[in-house]
Amino acid sequence: MFFYFLLALTIFFIMMSLRTLFVPYRLKEKWVSFENFIYLFFVYITIMIGFGLIYTLFQLNGFRVYLDSQTIVSPLNFFDTLLTGVYFSGITLFSVGFGDLIPVGVGRIIVVIEALIGYTIPAAFVARAVLDMEN
């Protein structure tokens, strides 16, 4: 039950972070500003850590979401699993992956969702900046 609570809480935080891209809010009047950079940075970090936690929760509860070609199948501790989950999340969010971790099972669906989010964040951010500049 705790697994589902943490999963729901993590998804909630990811959704709230993404929501900030679509809710009207005036940033500075400059297109390129330190505040805009920090804002985008924290959105990306929230998404990356959130999906990393989702991968970690699934892995620790016996659902295989990725296969690690570097590690022999053995139970890892929480910290190692978390680091691998965040790494896998970052590689998925910012690129198509390196091939050292391979999504399997339900992980394939989660990876597709994360990749779509990773590709749409810059477009949504630019659209928001342009729309905010016009108003």
Side-chain angles (χ1 to χ4, degrees), residues 50-103:
F51 274 96
L53 286 171
I54 289 173
Y55 297 133
T56 301
L57 289 172
F58 274 104
Q59 286 285 114
L60 291 176
N61 282 292
F63 298 100
R64 300 290 296 194
V65 291
Y66 58 80
L67 294 176
D68 187 353
S69 63
Q70 304 295 319
T71 307
I72 300 172
V73 178
S74 64
L76 298 174
N77 64 18
F78 174 78
F79 189 70
D80 289 339
T81 306
L82 179 63
L83 287 177
T84 303
V86 171
Y87 166 77
F88 184 56
S89 175
I91 294 304
T92 301
L93 188 61
F94 298 118
S95 69
V96 293
F98 290 141
D100 56 342
L101 297 172
I102 304 160

